[in-house]
Amino acid sequence: MDLERSPLALPFPDMPAIEGVTLRVGRAGYKNWDRADLTYAELSKGTALAGVFTRNVCCSSEVELGREQVKLGQARALVVNAGNSNAFTGYRGREAVEQIMAQVAHHLDCKPSDVLVSSTGVIGVPLPKDKAEAGIARVLDAPEVSYEDAARTIGTTDTFAKGATATAMLGDTKVILNGIVKGSGMIAPDMATMLGYIFTDAAVDPAFLQQCLSAASAGTFNCITVDSDTSTSDTVLAFATGKAGNAPLAGFDDAGADAFMAALHDVCRQLAHLVVRDGEGAQKFIAVNVTGAESDESARRVGLAIANSPLVKTAIAGSDANWGRVVMAVGKAGEPADRDKLGIAFGGVWAARNGLPLPDYDEAPVAKHLEGNEIDIDVDLGLGEGRATVWTCDLTHGYIAINADYRS
Amino acid sequence: MDLERSPLALPFPDMPAIEGVTLRVGRAGYKNWDRADLTYAELSKGTALAGVFTRNVCCSSEVELGREQVKLGQARALVVNAGNSNAFTGYRGREAVEQIMAQVAHHLDCKPSDVLVSSTGVIGVPLPKDKAEAGIARVLDAPEVSYEDAARTIGTTDTFAKGATATAMLGDTKVILNGIVKGSGMIAPDMATMLGYIFTDAAVDPAFLQQCLSAASAGTFNCITVDSDTSTSDTVLAFATGKAGNAPLAGFDDAGADAFMAALHDVCRQLAHLVVRDGEGAQKFIAVNVTGAESDESARRVGLAIANSPLVKTAIAGSDANWGRVVMAVGKAGEPADRDKLGIAFGGVWAARNGLPLPDYDEAPVAKHLEGNEIDIDVDLGLGEGRATVWTCDLTHGYIAINADYRS
């Protein structure tokens, strides 16, 4: 099935090189695709590593191993397989990952645990070891490619290549952060997952890099949803080569730590938005802003209940200012809420306040806002200071076409 | 929008009369419908009452009042408004309900708290008091109608009238249980909710009737889902007129209590299935059987995660034996599960066992099963003795058409 480029796609940004990061792509032939399906990133010695992973308990071997590797805090290489998720494949799947780690470690003369592996695609088919081995041998000799090429190669049913970049000043030293990501739902025909990789030349202590990545993910990757279906392979990794030469960051009190954190958050937010913009069947990009909750976490849960509601998502697809469905979603979230304090706005225009429709509510500007493809929903719970923003896309015939009209 | 009759519809069953229950329908004109929209059930003195209600915290005044009335345990009448849910309408909505209660109480010379009111339809528009008053006056004089007429009148976007009946022997006394229900999702254009009513001539103590109804709902109404969207008005009420003349049931040790409970459970299960069979856009009826969970409640949550997964529902719509999506849904349920003990079957044929695809898995009978419109998914978690069955329908273009292609 050929998928059309999402109407919400953004152009790939210009990305500067990052010293210590070398990207290559090649072809293992996991599927009958007429394109590269194997991505390899070589990282200079001393690169710090951090990662966050899916909470799905039926996760892949790659995720299980990755969790252990992140504790060691260092990396020399990343391998990404596209077309086969290697999830739910038992010991045979794990052997395939360990083979890739050993093969690359031998090439780089490093420890296997320094080699990170991710895979997305079909669930339940062990990654074929012979194809992996031959593919790795080829990719190690392949020419260097751009971040855009790498972003395209890690994709599966993605309709456009996704990347984001930012810089930060750490004292007098400018550091670069480049990120690439793939994903557009739990995903299409047998495919699965969001994978994100962030590369920086900043020098960052692994433990602090992990702290920064976890914090940045909480308000970005963990605040997006396409279809409420949590993949078995979701992974975001951050690699810091340290080649920029700044004094290594080890805590939030260090000079430049705030700037680095802000830049990392910026890249994570951009990447997270790009995944939503490639959501299956998406025609509209929706931001749900929840304020007045008892806590930020409560606000996030209410936001996710709204963003995951099929009735809210179809209403937005139909450009329908159906705030009754938003009321319903708030009420079912299982979080503190008081019907008689609730306010709801579309595009900044309040339709209801204090649990009552506003008598002077003017639907004309709201209807105009909803005809567009960047939708804002504001929900004020009127209880406390908790707030969160959650991003999603609408639910359209395109989603059904991608997921039901096709036989795996 | 005219909706086609669901392909999963069942014929309305023959229902015997129940002594002490008189049904009438009339027209209040809440919407521009060319049909009755007001249902009235008169109940003989001494009728016991029980009820279960939505857990949505943004519930309607009808639900708030109903919760209090159920504690009193007695009822003389039921009024059901169709076309306006009266939810999110503040004090004006509450006044309309209280007016109806007072009007009917005056007519019957009973307490207002003996009059139950339900409403479904548009959210956010106070029920118009003048239309309600005139409608009630008319319906009190209207001729008696059948359960099928009443079932049709309580409906909103339902595509067929839904009812179920059962009998039980309490010692030498045969008692009848008749139930009607409406609903097909949180529901279509601005509509909302499942409403269910069960009438019996059995003599049952209100507290015990509540115990029975709560227990029966747990494994029936609380185990169905169409789109994961919990309505603001969901209500199931049970009325026991006592006219059968059995020795009143007051506890599970009473003779005949087991038979009554079994018949009540049977009616609730049938009614719950009928709601799924009228699920918006439904083409297939799906039973998800979860075994081997740590507890029954854990099994129910895993079942709901599967039944609510858009990717599982679209796979079934596409007749696709995509067990990888079931693995994903089990993993995201947040319940105890072990990937390497998991088994998944479609139509009784196991595709995976102990976390691995079966090498001799024969997809032919599975493909045939999935082409049908009654689908069984079995999931064995391999951990304990907990089990549950959850019922749902597939997610099709019809759901999108009903909910997105129409402007409210």
Side-chain angles (χ1 to χ4, degrees), chain A residues 237-311:
Chain A
L237 300 175
F239 304 98
T241 66
K243 294 291 184 188
N246 59 290
L249 298 176
F252 283 113
D253 293 337
D254 291 354
D258 286 351
F260 178 76
M261 182 65 211
L264 180 64
H265 190 276
D266 183 36
V267 168
C268 288
R269 186 185 48 75
Q270 289 186 58
L271 294 176
H273 285 194
L274 288 168
V275 172
V276 171
R277 286 181 174 277
D278 207 6
E280 292 174 345
Q283 299 283 330
K284 292 170 195 270
F285 180 87
I286 307 168
V288 180
N289 307 296
V290 179
T291 53
E294 287 202 348
S295 68
D296 289 352
E297 180 54 24
S298 179
R300 189 179 77 95
R301 290 208 187 106
V302 169
L304 283 171
I306 297 166
N308 280 326
S309 160
L311 288 171

Coordinates of all heavy atoms in Angstrom, one line a residue, chain A residues 237-311:
Chain A
L237 N 16.4 7.4 22.3 CA 17.8 7.4 22.8 C 18.5 8.7 22.6 O 18.2 9.4 21.6 CB 18.6 6.3 22.1 CG 18.1 4.8 22.3 CD1 19.0 3.9 21.4 CD2 18.1 4.4 23.7
A238 N 19.3 9.1 23.5 CA 20.1 10.3 23.4 C 21.6 9.9 23.4 O 22.0 9.2 24.3 CB 19.8 11.3 24.4
F239 N 22.4 10.5 22.5 CA 23.8 10.2 22.4 C 24.6 11.5 22.5 O 24.3 12.4 21.7 CB 24.2 9.5 21.1 CG 23.4 8.3 20.8 CD1 22.3 8.3 20.0 CD2 23.8 7.1 21.4 CE1 21.6 7.1 19.7 CE2 23.1 5.9 21.1 CZ 22.0 5.9 20.3
A240 N 25.5 11.6 23.5 CA 26.3 12.9 23.6 C 27.8 12.6 23.4 O 28.4 11.9 24.2 CB 26.0 13.5 25.0
T241 N 28.3 13.0 22.3 CA 29.7 12.7 21.9 C 30.7 13.5 22.7 O 31.9 13.0 22.9 CB 30.0 12.9 20.4 OG1 29.9 14.3 20.2 CG2 29.0 12.2 19.6
G242 N 30.3 14.6 23.2 CA 31.3 15.4 24.0 C 32.3 16.2 23.2 O 33.2 16.8 23.8
K243 N 32.2 16.1 21.9 CA 33.2 16.7 21.0 C 33.2 18.2 21.0 O 34.1 18.9 20.5 CB 33.1 16.2 19.6 CG 33.3 14.7 19.4 CD 34.8 14.4 19.6 CE 35.1 12.9 19.4 NZ 36.4 12.6 19.8
A244 N 32.1 18.8 21.5 CA 32.1 20.3 21.5 C 33.1 20.9 22.5 O 33.5 22.0 22.4 CB 30.7 20.8 21.9
G245 N 33.5 20.1 23.5 CA 34.5 20.5 24.3 C 34.1 21.4 25.5 O 35.0 22.0 26.2
N246 N 32.8 21.4 25.8 CA 32.4 22.2 27.0 C 32.8 21.4 28.2 O 33.0 20.2 28.2 CB 30.8 22.3 26.9 CG 30.1 21.0 26.9 OD1 30.2 20.3 25.9 ND2 29.5 20.6 28.0
A247 N 32.7 22.1 29.3 CA 32.9 21.4 30.6 C 31.8 20.5 30.8 O 30.6 21.0 30.7 CB 33.0 22.5 31.8
P248 N 32.0 19.2 31.0 CA 30.9 18.3 31.0 C 29.8 18.7 32.0 O 30.1 19.1 33.1 CB 31.6 17.0 31.5 CG 33.0 17.1 31.1 CD 33.3 18.6 31.2
L249 N 28.5 18.6 31.5 CA 27.4 18.9 32.4 C 27.1 17.7 33.3 O 27.0 16.5 32.8 CB 26.2 19.2 31.5 CG 26.2 20.4 30.6 CD1 25.0 20.5 29.7 CD2 26.4 21.6 31.4
A250 N 26.9 17.9 34.6 CA 26.6 16.8 35.5 C 25.4 17.1 36.3 O 25.0 16.2 37.1 CB 27.8 16.5 36.3
G251 N 24.9 18.3 36.3 CA 23.7 18.6 37.1 C 23.1 19.9 36.7 O 23.6 20.7 36.0
F252 N 21.8 20.1 37.2 CA 21.1 21.3 36.8 C 21.7 22.6 37.3 O 21.4 23.7 36.8 CB 19.6 21.2 37.2 CG 18.8 20.3 36.4 CD1 18.3 19.1 36.9 CD2 18.6 20.6 35.0 CE1 17.6 18.3 36.1 CE2 17.8 19.8 34.2 CZ 17.3 18.6 34.8
D253 N 22.6 22.5 38.3 CA 23.3 23.7 38.8 C 24.5 24.1 37.9 O 25.0 25.2 38.0 CB 23.8 23.5 40.2 CG 22.6 23.4 41.2 OD1 21.5 23.9 40.8 OD2 22.8 22.8 42.2
D254 N 24.9 23.2 37.0 CA 26.1 23.6 36.2 C 25.7 24.7 35.2 O 24.6 24.7 34.7 CB 26.5 22.3 35.4 CG 27.1 21.3 36.3 OD1 27.3 21.6 37.5 OD2 27.4 20.2 35.8
A255 N 26.7 25.5 34.9 CA 26.5 26.6 33.9 C 26.2 25.9 32.6 O 26.8 25.0 32.1 CB 27.8 27.4 33.8
G256 N 25.1 26.4 32.0 CA 24.7 25.9 30.6 C 23.8 24.8 30.7 O 23.2 24.4 29.7
A257 N 23.5 24.2 31.9 CA 22.6 23.1 32.0 C 21.2 23.5 31.6 O 20.5 22.7 30.9 CB 22.6 22.5 33.4
D258 N 20.8 24.7 32.0 CA 19.4 25.1 31.7 C 19.3 25.3 30.1 O 18.3 24.9 29.6 CB 19.1 26.5 32.3 CG 18.9 26.3 33.8 OD1 18.8 25.2 34.3 OD2 18.8 27.3 34.5
A259 N 20.3 25.9 29.5 CA 20.3 26.1 28.1 C 20.2 24.7 27.3 O 19.5 24.5 26.4 CB 21.5 26.9 27.6
F260 N 21.0 23.8 27.8 CA 21.0 22.4 27.2 C 19.7 21.8 27.4 O 19.1 21.2 26.4 CB 22.1 21.6 27.8 CG 22.1 20.2 27.3 CD1 22.7 19.9 26.0 CD2 21.6 19.1 28.0 CE1 22.7 18.6 25.5 CE2 21.6 17.8 27.5 CZ 22.2 17.6 26.2
M261 N 19.1 21.8 28.6 CA 17.8 21.2 28.8 C 16.7 21.9 27.9 O 15.9 21.2 27.4 CB 17.5 21.4 30.3 CG 16.1 20.8 30.7 SD 16.1 19.0 30.6 CE 14.4 18.7 30.3
A262 N 16.8 23.2 27.8 CA 15.8 23.9 27.0 C 15.9 23.4 25.5 O 14.9 23.2 24.8 CB 16.0 25.4 27.1
A263 N 17.1 23.3 25.0 CA 17.3 22.9 23.6 C 16.9 21.4 23.5 O 16.3 21.1 22.4 CB 18.8 23.0 23.3
L264 N 17.2 20.6 24.4 CA 16.8 19.2 24.4 C 15.2 19.1 24.4 O 14.6 18.3 23.6 CB 17.3 18.4 25.5 CG 17.0 16.9 25.6 CD1 17.6 16.2 24.3 CD2 17.5 16.2 26.8
H265 N 14.6 19.8 25.2 CA 13.1 19.8 25.3 C 12.6 20.3 24.0 O 11.6 19.7 23.5 CB 12.7 20.7 26.4 CG 11.2 20.6 26.7 ND1 10.3 21.3 26.0 CD2 10.5 19.9 27.6 CE1 9.1 21.0 26.5 NE2 9.2 20.1 27.5
D266 N 13.2 21.3 23.4 CA 12.7 21.9 22.1 C 12.8 20.8 21.0 O 11.8 20.6 20.2 CB 13.6 23.1 21.7 CG 13.1 23.7 20.5 OD1 11.9 23.8 20.2 OD2 14.0 24.2 19.7
V267 N 13.9 20.1 21.0 CA 14.1 19.0 19.9 C 13.0 17.9 20.2 O 12.4 17.4 19.2 CB 15.5 18.5 19.9 CG1 15.6 17.2 19.1 CG2 16.5 19.5 19.4
C268 N 12.9 17.5 21.4 CA 11.9 16.4 21.7 C 10.5 16.9 21.4 O 9.7 16.1 20.8 CB 11.9 16.1 23.2 SG 13.4 15.2 23.7
R269 N 10.1 18.1 21.7 CA 8.8 18.6 21.3 C 8.6 18.6 19.8 O 7.5 18.2 19.3 CB 8.6 20.0 21.9 CG 7.2 20.6 21.8 CD 7.1 22.0 22.3 NE 8.2 22.8 21.7 CZ 8.2 23.3 20.5 NH1 7.3 23.0 19.6 NH2 9.3 24.0 20.1
Q270 N 9.6 19.1 19.1 CA 9.4 19.1 17.6 C 9.3 17.7 17.1 O 8.4 17.5 16.2 CB 10.7 19.8 17.0 CG 10.8 21.3 17.2 CD 12.0 21.8 16.4 OE1 12.1 21.7 15.2 NE2 12.9 22.4 17.1
L271 N 10.1 16.8 17.6 CA 10.0 15.4 17.1 C 8.6 14.8 17.4 O 8.0 14.1 16.6 CB 11.1 14.6 17.7 CG 12.6 14.9 17.2 CD1 13.6 14.0 18.0 CD2 12.8 14.8 15.7
A272 N 8.2 15.0 18.6 CA 6.9 14.5 19.1 C 5.8 15.0 18.2 O 4.9 14.3 17.7 CB 6.6 14.8 20.5
H273 N 5.8 16.3 17.9 CA 4.8 16.9 17.0 C 4.8 16.3 15.6 O 3.8 16.1 15.0 CB 5.0 18.4 16.9 CG 4.6 19.1 18.2 ND1 4.4 20.5 18.2 CD2 4.3 18.7 19.4 CE1 4.0 20.9 19.4 NE2 4.0 19.8 20.2
L274 N 6.0 16.0 15.1 CA 6.2 15.4 13.8 C 5.5 14.0 13.7 O 4.9 13.7 12.7 CB 7.6 15.3 13.4 CG 8.3 16.7 13.1 CD1 9.8 16.5 13.0 CD2 7.7 17.3 11.8
V275 N 5.6 13.3 14.8 CA 4.9 12.0 14.8 C 3.4 12.1 14.7 O 2.7 11.5 13.9 CB 5.3 11.2 16.1 CG1 4.4 9.9 16.2 CG2 6.8 10.8 16.1
V276 N 2.9 13.1 15.4 CA 1.4 13.4 15.4 C 1.1 13.8 14.0 O 0.0 13.4 13.4 CB 1.0 14.4 16.4 CG1 -0.4 14.8 16.2 CG2 1.2 13.8 17.8
R277 N 1.9 14.7 13.4 CA 1.7 15.2 12.0 C 1.7 14.1 11.0 O 1.2 14.3 9.9 CB 2.7 16.3 11.6 CG 2.5 17.6 12.4 CD 3.5 18.6 12.0 NE 3.1 19.9 12.6 CZ 2.2 20.7 12.1 NH1 1.7 20.5 10.9 NH2 1.9 21.8 12.8
D278 N 2.3 12.9 11.3 CA 2.2 11.8 10.4 C 1.3 10.7 10.9 O 1.4 9.6 10.5 CB 3.6 11.2 10.2 CG 3.8 10.6 8.8 OD1 2.8 10.6 8.0 OD2 4.8 10.0 8.6
G279 N 0.4 11.1 11.9 CA -0.6 10.1 12.4 C -1.4 9.5 11.3 O -1.7 10.2 10.3
E280 N -1.7 8.3 11.4 CA -2.4 7.6 10.4 C -3.7 8.3 10.0 O -4.6 8.4 10.9 CB -2.6 6.1 10.8 CG -1.3 5.4 10.8 CD -1.4 4.0 11.3 OE1 -2.5 3.7 11.9 OE2 -0.5 3.2 11.2
G281 N -3.8 8.7 8.8 CA -5.1 9.3 8.4 C -5.3 10.7 8.8 O -6.3 11.3 8.5
A282 N -4.3 11.3 9.5 CA -4.4 12.6 10.1 C -4.7 13.7 9.1 O -4.0 13.8 8.0 CB -3.2 13.0 10.9
Q283 N -5.7 14.5 9.3 CA -5.9 15.7 8.5 C -5.8 17.0 9.3 O -5.7 18.1 8.8 CB -7.4 15.7 7.9 CG -7.6 14.5 7.0 CD -7.0 14.7 5.6 OE1 -6.9 15.8 5.1 NE2 -6.6 13.6 5.0
K284 N -5.9 16.8 10.7 CA -5.8 18.0 11.6 C -4.8 17.7 12.7 O -4.9 16.6 13.3 CB -7.2 18.4 12.1 CG -8.1 18.9 11.0 CD -9.5 19.1 11.5 CE -10.5 19.3 10.3 NZ -10.7 20.7 9.9
F285 N -4.1 18.7 13.1 CA -3.2 18.6 14.3 C -3.9 19.3 15.4 O -4.3 20.4 15.3 CB -1.9 19.4 13.9 CG -0.8 19.4 15.0 CD1 0.1 18.3 15.1 CD2 -0.8 20.4 15.9 CE1 1.0 18.4 16.1 CE2 0.2 20.5 16.9 CZ 1.1 19.4 17.0
I286 N -4.1 18.6 16.5 CA -4.9 19.1 17.6 C -4.0 19.2 18.9 O -3.4 18.3 19.3 CB -6.0 18.1 18.0 CG1 -6.8 17.8 16.7 CG2 -6.9 18.6 19.1 CD1 -7.8 16.6 16.8
A287 N -4.1 20.4 19.5 CA -3.5 20.7 20.8 C -4.6 20.8 21.9 O -5.5 21.6 21.7 CB -2.6 21.9 20.8
V288 N -4.5 19.9 22.9 CA -5.5 20.0 24.0 C -4.8 20.6 25.2 O -3.8 20.0 25.7 CB -6.0 18.6 24.3 CG1 -7.0 18.6 25.4 CG2 -6.6 17.9 23.1
N289 N -5.2 21.8 25.6 CA -4.6 22.5 26.7 C -5.5 22.4 27.9 O -6.6 22.9 27.9 CB -4.4 24.0 26.4 CG -3.7 24.2 25.1 OD1 -2.5 23.8 25.0 ND2 -4.4 24.7 24.1
V290 N -5.0 21.7 29.0 CA -5.8 21.5 30.2 C -5.2 22.4 31.3 O -4.0 22.3 31.6 CB -5.9 20.0 30.6 CG1 -6.7 19.9 31.9 CG2 -6.4 19.2 29.5
T291 N -6.0 23.2 31.9 CA -5.6 24.0 33.0 C -6.6 23.8 34.2 O -7.6 23.2 34.0 CB -5.6 25.5 32.7 OG1 -6.9 25.9 32.1 CG2 -4.6 25.9 31.6
G292 N -6.2 24.3 35.3 CA -7.1 24.3 36.5 C -7.2 22.9 37.1 O -8.2 22.6 37.9
A293 N -6.3 22.0 36.8 CA -6.4 20.6 37.4 C -5.8 20.6 38.7 O -5.1 21.5 39.1 CB -5.7 19.6 36.4
E294 N -6.0 19.5 39.5 CA -5.4 19.4 40.8 C -3.9 19.2 40.8 O -3.2 19.6 41.7 CB -6.1 18.3 41.6 CG -7.5 18.6 42.0 CD -8.0 17.8 43.2 OE1 -7.4 16.8 43.6 OE2 -9.1 18.2 43.7
S295 N -3.4 18.7 39.7 CA -2.0 18.5 39.5 C -1.7 18.5 38.0 O -2.5 18.3 37.2 CB -1.5 17.3 40.2 OG -2.0 16.1 39.5
D296 N -0.4 18.6 37.7 CA 0.0 18.5 36.3 C -0.3 17.1 35.7 O -0.7 17.0 34.6 CB 1.5 18.8 36.1 CG 1.8 20.3 36.3 OD1 0.9 21.1 36.5 OD2 3.0 20.6 36.4
E297 N 0.0 16.1 36.5 CA -0.2 14.7 36.1 C -1.7 14.5 35.8 O -2.1 13.9 34.9 CB 0.3 13.8 37.1 CG 0.2 12.3 36.7 CD 0.7 11.9 35.3 OE1 1.6 12.6 34.8 OE2 0.2 10.9 34.8
S298 N -2.6 15.0 36.7 CA -4.0 14.9 36.5 C -4.4 15.6 35.2 O -5.3 15.1 34.5 CB -4.7 15.5 37.7 OG -6.1 15.4 37.6
A299 N -3.8 16.8 35.0 CA -4.1 17.5 33.7 C -3.8 16.7 32.5 O -4.5 16.7 31.5 CB -3.4 18.9 33.7
R300 N -2.6 16.1 32.6 CA -2.2 15.2 31.5 C -3.1 14.1 31.2 O -3.5 13.8 30.1 CB -0.8 14.7 31.8 CG -0.1 14.0 30.6 CD 1.3 13.5 30.9 NE 1.2 12.3 31.7 CZ 1.3 11.0 31.1 NH1 1.5 10.9 29.8 NH2 1.2 10.0 31.9
R301 N -3.6 13.4 32.3 CA -4.5 12.3 32.1 C -5.9 12.8 31.5 O -6.5 12.1 30.7 CB -4.8 11.6 33.5 CG -3.6 10.9 34.0 CD -4.0 9.7 34.9 NE -2.8 9.1 35.5 CZ -2.4 9.3 36.7 NH1 -3.2 10.0 37.6 NH2 -1.3 8.8 37.2
V302 N -6.3 14.0 32.0 CA -7.6 14.5 31.4 C -7.3 14.8 29.9 O -8.2 14.5 29.0 CB -8.0 15.8 32.1 CG1 -9.2 16.5 31.4 CG2 -8.5 15.4 33.6
G303 N -6.2 15.4 29.6 CA -5.8 15.7 28.2 C -5.8 14.5 27.4 O -6.3 14.5 26.2
L304 N -5.2 13.4 27.9 CA -5.1 12.1 27.1 C -6.5 11.5 26.9 O -6.8 11.0 25.9 CB -4.2 11.2 27.8 CG -2.7 11.5 27.6 CD1 -1.8 10.6 28.5 CD2 -2.3 11.3 26.2
A305 N -7.4 11.6 27.9 CA -8.8 11.1 27.8 C -9.5 11.8 26.7 O -10.2 11.2 25.9 CB -9.5 11.2 29.1
I306 N -9.3 13.1 26.5 CA -9.9 13.9 25.5 C -9.2 13.5 24.1 O -9.9 13.2 23.1 CB -9.7 15.4 25.7 CG1 -10.5 15.8 27.0 CG2 -10.2 16.2 24.5 CD1 -10.1 17.2 27.5
A307 N -7.9 13.5 24.1 CA -7.2 13.2 22.9 C -7.4 11.8 22.4 O -7.3 11.5 21.2 CB -5.7 13.5 23.1
N308 N -7.7 10.9 23.3 CA -7.9 9.5 22.8 C -9.4 9.2 22.6 O -9.7 8.1 22.1 CB -7.4 8.5 23.9 CG -6.0 8.3 23.8 OD1 -5.4 8.3 22.8 ND2 -5.3 8.1 25.0
S309 N -10.3 10.1 22.8 CA -11.7 9.8 22.6 C -12.1 9.8 21.1 O -11.9 10.8 20.4 CB -12.6 10.9 23.3 OG -13.9 10.9 22.7
P310 N -12.5 8.6 20.7 CA -12.9 8.5 19.3 C -14.0 9.6 18.9 O -14.0 10.1 17.8 CB -13.5 7.1 19.1 CG -12.9 6.4 20.3 CD -12.7 7.4 21.4
L311 N -14.9 9.9 19.8 CA -16.0 10.8 19.5 C -15.4 12.2 19.4 O -15.9 13.0 18.6 CB -17.1 10.7 20.6 CG -17.9 9.4 20.4 CD1 -18.8 9.3 21.6 CD2 -18.7 9.4 19.1

